[in-house]
Amino acid sequence: MANLRIPKPWEIPERLTTPEDVYLNRRQILGAMGLGAMALGLPLSLACARPPDPELLARGLAPALGKKYADRFPARRNPLYGVGDRKITPEKDAGGINNFYELSTTKDEVWKKGLGYKVDPWTVEVGGLVKKPRTLDLDALLKGFPLEERLYRFRCVERWAMQVPWTGFPLRALIDSLEPLSSARYVRFVSVKDPEHLPGQKETPWYSWPYYEGLRMDEARHPLAFVVVGSYGHALPMQHGAPLRLATPWKYGYKGPKSIVRIEFVADQPPTFWNMMQPDEYGFYSNVNPKKPHPRWSQEIENDLGTGARRPTQLYNGYARQVGAMYDGREV
Ligand SMILES: Nc1nc2c(c(=O)[nH]1)N[C@H]1C(S)=C(S)[C@@H](COP(=O)(O)O)O[C@H]1N2
Ligand SMILES: [Mo]
């Protein structure tokens, strides 16, 4: 084991064009070793070296807002949203391996790079083709909507999957308060841009920051589309996208932008970050589909982040009954 050197992300030449490779390579190496790091629940790079420092991990899971709005949590769990016989992913796993390139492209470093990032004050500019544009501040976000907890499945395009208790409110509640015009056919989301304080943004100037994503209007108004302000019974820690991110559990994880600062209603399908970077690999719709392989890997099987269990990927990540009617199967 000591002889095996896991390549650092910056040593993998395809990194500039194939960022999602980094994690898969590491996992495949670990898998070939039969190490089962995921089964041990250890962050990957620490698995070979030393056990994680529980105190540090605990600190990394603290809400980015500190004690502010702590009285809004935990919210009542909505029993309509469950994950069947799957187990909730341990919080330290969901919060220890993350994709948030603004902080770091190394998954088990993301939470560390997010420690101390200031998300107070925060505003989200909401506008475009609506009658009632508005600016949401933290009070509006944390107190302006009834909060509920939902258990959602989550599936990253890189094949890891988890089950998370998110706290938030349906995106639809916000949309309806804006009275969108009939010309508004899509919604676009823009994440924070702050290279001064977000080390990942500073280190990767070749990406077209800020991160941006989009949904078709019916997708955005679907009851499953959820504005997330908390996880595991408290406000979001930074690595999950504090103070607000989106969850669209029938789509690959990158359709859920983190640390959103702008929401805009538009007429035409908006460009999206990964689609602009790699159009042949990341489409606009990006619905979870085991039969549609990623150009560089099959999507038939997924790996549970907490247990390491392999299981078949489900169409629309198991939400076919809820979302199937929105699609004719030709969406990419
Ligand atoms: N702003 C922003 N949002 C983002 C990302 C990112 O790099 N930046 N990564 C996406 C990807 S690829 C995934 S899989 C999920 C990961 O969410 P998690 O780290 O909370 O599990 O966030 C998504 N949202
Ligand atoms: Mo992802």
Side-chain angles (χ1 to χ4, degrees), residues 6 22-31 35-39 41-50 52 93 96-97 106-109 160 305:
I6 296 170
V22 174
Y23 183 56
L24 283 176
N25 286 347
R26 297 171 77 197
R27 289 199 61 162
Q28 277 152 7
I29 291 162
L30 290 168
L35 190 67
M38 304 311 279
L42 300 177
L44 285 177
S45 74
L46 295 177
C48 283
R50 54 188 145 64
D93 296 329
I97 303 278
T106 306
K107 289 184 198 326
D108 53 10
E109 297 273 317
W160 54 274
L305 184 68

Side-chain angles (χ1 to χ4, degrees), residues 20 94 97-102 154-158 160 162 166 191-192 209 211 239-241 245 252-259 274:
E20 306 270 26
I97 303 278
N98 299 90
N99 271 338
F100 196 179
Y101 277 24
E102 285 86 338
F154 179 99
R155 172 62 150 80
C156 173
V157 72
E158 298 161 315
W160 54 274
M162 59 182 181
W166 299 122
S191 293
V192 63
W209 302 114
Y211 193 89
Q239 63 268 40
H240 282 311
R245 60 94 61 81
Y252 291 116
Y254 60 89
K255 293 297 293 183
K258 297 178 170 182
S259 304
W274 282 115

Side-chain angles (χ1 to χ4, degrees), residues 2-258:
N3 294 335
L4 187 114
R5 214 177 60 86
I6 296 170
K8 297 277 193 295
W10 56 85
E11 295 174 306
I12 295 174
E14 307 96 308
R15 176 165 173 262
L16 293 184
T17 52
T18 60
E20 306 270 26
D21 257 3
V22 174
Y23 183 56
L24 283 176
N25 286 347
R26 297 171 77 197
R27 289 199 61 162
Q28 277 152 7
I29 291 162
L30 290 168
M33 292 164 69
L35 190 67
M38 304 311 279
L40 296 170
L42 300 177
L44 285 177
S45 74
L46 295 177
C48 283
R50 54 188 145 64
D53 179 330
E55 241 176 72
L56 273 184
L57 266 182
R59 254 204 288 153
L61 299 171
L65 283 168
K67 292 200 168 65
K68 212 168 171 185
Y69 302 105
D71 59 330
R72 299 290 286 143
F73 300 91
R76 191 186 58 90
R77 183 174 292 177
N78 185 334
L80 290 176
Y81 300 90
V83 290
D85 55 4
R86 293 186 192 174
K87 291 212 161 44
I88 294 180
T89 301
E91 182 173 10
K92 67 170 179 15
D93 296 329
I97 303 278
N98 299 90
N99 271 338
F100 196 179
Y101 277 24
E102 285 86 338
L103 291 171
S104 173
T105 50
T106 306
K107 289 184 198 326
D108 53 10
E109 297 273 317
V110 169
W111 68 269
K112 285 179 224 167
K113 304 287 182 177
L115 292 174
Y117 187 72
K118 264 176 66 84
V119 296
D120 182 10
W122 192 273
T123 53
V124 189
E125 296 295 333
V126 189
L129 302 172
V130 297
K131 274 198 202 120
K132 296 184 172 164
R134 54 192 287 207
T135 301
L136 304 174
D137 60 9
L138 287 174
D139 265 11
L141 276 172
L142 276 296
K143 294 194 200 160
F145 300 88
L147 298 183
E148 62 184 64
E149 183 177 78
R150 297 180 176 188
L151 302 185
Y152 268 6
R153 298 173 184 199
F154 179 99
R155 172 62 150 80
C156 173
V157 72
E158 298 161 315
R159 295 185 290 204
W160 54 274
M162 59 182 181
Q163 296 73 236
V164 182
W166 299 122
T167 304
F169 56 89
L171 177 58
R172 182 180 191 153
L174 169 63
I175 294 179
D176 289 347
S177 77
L178 310 163
E179 299 182 29
L181 306 177
S182 58
S183 51
R185 292 174 55 236
Y186 293 87
V187 191
R188 69 186 285 264
F189 305 86
V190 183
S191 293
V192 63
K193 182 169 180 179
D194 182 11
E196 282 287 294
H197 304 104
L198 295 168
Q201 267 179 353
K202 195 172 202 159
E203 287 158 14
T204 59
W206 52 84
Y207 285 133
S208 61
W209 302 114
Y211 193 89
Y212 47 105
E213 257 302 335
L215 295 171
R216 205 170 61 190
M217 194 65 161
D218 58 336
E219 299 181 311
R221 297 188 75 253
H222 191 281
L224 277 171
F226 202 49
V227 177
V228 173
V229 296
S231 55
Y232 295 89
H234 53 71
L236 286 174
M238 198 57 210
Q239 63 268 40
H240 282 311
L244 78 155
R245 60 94 61 81
L246 203 67
T248 47
W250 70 99
K251 293 176 176 288
Y252 291 116
Y254 60 89
K255 293 297 293 183
K258 297 178 170 182

